[in-house]
Amino acid sequence: MPFEPEFKACRNQMVRSAPSVAANYRAACRGKSNPDFINKLKIVEEELDETMF
């Protein structure tokens, strides 16, 4: 298949970044304050942005 290398690269990126997104979201849910929660959600957003890129 001509697109197989690109598919593998995308799949590998998602496999590497998904656990990080999940771990950071869990940490955000356990934030000590509202500002802490918001700051940790921004980290989750950055991880998701990297995944989409």
Side-chain angles (χ1 to χ4, degrees):
M1 287 188 139
F3 296 108
E4 191 169 327
E6 290 84 1
F7 173 76
K8 283 183 180 180
C10 290
R11 181 191 62 202
N12 291 341
Q13 176 62 27
M14 287 190 283
V15 167
R16 283 192 309 270
S17 62
S20 179
V21 171
N24 282 312
Y25 180 75
R26 183 172 189 266
C29 290
R30 299 171 62 108
K32 295 179 174 81
S33 63
N34 282 341
D36 186 37
F37 173 75
I38 292 168
N39 186 52
K40 289 180 181 190
L41 276 184
K42 289 180 182 182
I43 295 170
V44 171
E45 183 180 29
E46 289 177 16
E47 292 289 339
L48 287 170
D49 186 50
E50 288 178 19
T51 301
M52 290 173 35
F53 177 72

